[in-house]
Amino acid sequence: MLFPDYRPRRLRQNKDFRRMIRETVLSADDLILPLFAINGKNVKNAIPSMPGHYQLSLDNLVKTAKDAYNLNIPAVMLFGIPDKKDSLGTEAYAKNGIVQRAARELKNKIPDLVVITDVCLCQYTDHGHCGVVEGNIIENDASLDLLARTALSHAKAGADMVAPSDMMDGRVTEIRNVLDENSLSHVPIMSYAAKYCSAYYGPFREAAHSAPQFGDRRTYQMDPANALEAIREVSMDVEEGADIIMVKPALPYLDVICRVRQEIDLPVAAYNVSGEYAMIKAAEKMGWIDGKKVMMETLTGIKRAGADMILTYFALEAAKDLLKKGE
């Protein structure tokens, strides 16, 4: 098709034409709101690098989750900040740990909200790594039982879905088996299947107090240069029983999201991570960009790449904007 026979601008000339031919439509149904739970009452600790986000005690956590639910956001992702840490991250799988209590409270107060829990050890270990440490080695197989115990404790507390983010080999199988053995076969697993060792996680580590105390996470999170490896990782998690697979971060890995969407027939999630959020907020504050427009363009781009759902710190803001537009 060539000009003058084909004139693409014909269908761009007014907003109604543009709506009618729009290929990618973002809605609140696509969004998942991450939340940080902390002990105490009436606690709302601002996270400086993530404007508009807070460490929340359970009373304030419920209020924020209700705001999300009232904006038609279907789900939240829970991260916990414990009072104490140790080498084995025992608070991660404690019956009355912060995430377990948060899950129970949310399901009690907002039963129809989908509660997803992050399953990892880094927020709970005194060394800040996502598994058991021996010397300077993060031991894969020794970590699997602790991760499975964490997922089981979350599911018993009422979590609708568990999301292992540790990137230990074999953890999906271990979690699936322990859930099934405890009559929790109905609980799905959202696997952080292709999680890269990224510099974009900095603000999150401030929020969750989860920075490693030595070394880095390159021996278990993926090399940012690799895309074929992501397909292998995702395929392995699918074979092990994952119900949803996730690519994290989103923006630097849109090509990976697209490839995963083309090759895998399970739902695909993408995590629009803290550093991506912080950069947009910082540029908006400086007056360099229109923050709302960049936010919506970013989220639409992630969905266009193939994500069925997007974990994003923009969830509340985006849902409000979508509600105004009636989309």
Side-chain angles (χ1 to χ4, degrees):
M1 295 186 291
L2 297 173
F3 176 85
D5 296 317
Y6 177 54
R7 293 176 178 263
R9 288 186 59 192
R10 286 181 184 138
L11 295 179
R12 300 178 194 148
Q13 62 187 292
N14 63 59
K15 64 181 179 64
D16 294 314
F17 282 4
R18 292 191 295 272
R19 283 180 61 206
M20 289 169 65
I21 66 165
R22 188 163 294 150
E23 298 173 24
T24 304
V25 178
L26 185 72
S27 81
D29 292 341
D30 303 318
L31 308 176
I32 299 170
L33 174 66
L35 292 172
F36 298 95
I38 196 168
N39 288 303
K41 290 185 178 179
N42 199 30
V43 178
K44 192 175 183 180
N45 297 332
I47 302 167
S49 56
M50 297 171 64
H53 285 272
Y54 307 86
Q55 298 170 338
L56 299 168
S57 54
L58 299 191
D59 49 343
N60 285 321
L61 188 86
V62 169
K63 289 176 185 176
T64 301
K66 281 183 178 177
D67 290 341
Y69 182 73
N70 290 334
L71 287 166
N72 295 322
I73 295 170
V76 297
M77 173 76 85
L78 288 181
F79 298 93
I81 302 158
D83 286 337
K84 60 182 181 178
K85 304 186 180 192
D86 57 41
S87 63
L88 295 178
T90 55
E91 283 297 300
Y93 40 90
K95 182 177 180 180
N96 289 311
I98 183 61
V99 166
Q100 290 81 352
R101 289 169 45 232
R104 283 193 288 267
E105 189 71 4
L106 286 175
K107 294 309 295 182
N108 180 46
K109 297 291 175 60
I110 322 168
D112 292 333
L113 179 70
V114 174
V115 174
I116 310 169
T117 56
D118 178 79
V119 175
C120 199
L121 301 178
C122 61
Q123 295 123 264
Y124 307 92
T125 54
D126 51 16
H127 47 72
H129 279 286
C130 303
V132 174
V133 170
E134 295 288 345
N136 287 327
I137 303 297
I138 293 81
E139 293 287 352
N140 190 94
D141 295 6
S143 303
L144 298 182
D145 176 63
L146 301 186
L147 292 163
R149 288 171 65 182
T150 301
L152 178 61
S153 70
H154 290 178
K156 284 184 173 180
D160 297 294
M161 186 183 300
V162 294
S165 63
D166 54 282
M167 286 298 285
M168 298 296 136
D169 297 341
R171 88 274 203 212
V172 174
T173 291
E174 196 84 7
I175 291 170
R176 184 72 273 159
N177 286 343
V178 79
L179 291 175
D180 292 353
E181 289 165 3
N182 285 271
S183 302
L184 291 164
S185 58
H186 62 282
V187 176
I189 297 172
M190 174 191 283
S191 172
Y192 289 65
K195 181 178 179 180
Y196 286 85
C197 188
S198 172
Y200 283 84
Y201 303 148
F204 174 90
R205 291 178 183 175
E206 175 192 5
H209 302 166
S210 63
Q213 297 304 299
F214 69 90
D216 54 37
R217 294 176 178 155
R218 293 179 187 275
T219 64
Y220 46 106
Q221 294 178 358
M222 285 183 56
D223 187 329
N226 294 354
L228 288 175
E229 184 186 10
I231 302 303
R232 294 196 296 272
E233 284 276 8
V234 167
S235 299
M236 184 167 69
D237 284 5
V238 171
E239 289 294 321
E240 290 183 15
D243 301 281
I244 299 171
I245 54 91
M246 187 196 300
V247 177
K248 179 185 180 182
L251 288 180
Y253 303 97
L254 293 176
D255 62 318
V256 176
I257 295 169
C258 184
R259 290 178 75 159
V260 168
R261 174 68 290 158
Q262 291 170 350
E263 298 198 28
I264 302 297
D265 63 359
L266 290 181
V268 176
Y271 203 141
N272 177 217
V273 300
S274 60
E276 297 166 12
Y277 174 87
M279 289 192 300
I280 291 173
K281 285 297 183 182
E284 179 183 37
K285 185 177 181 180
M286 293 299 293
W288 295 337
I289 61 171
D290 183 320
K292 282 191 180 297
K293 288 182 178 178
V294 172
M295 168 187 73
M296 298 307 288
E297 186 175 342
T298 295
L299 296 175
T300 300
I302 295 168
K303 185 172 182 183
R304 188 184 66 247
D308 299 295
M309 57 202 78
I310 306 170
L311 289 87
T312 178
Y313 301 96
F314 286 117
L316 289 171
E317 194 175 345
K320 287 175 186 175
D321 200 50
L322 290 166
L323 192 62
K324 281 183 191 174
K325 294 176 180 176
E327 296 183 21

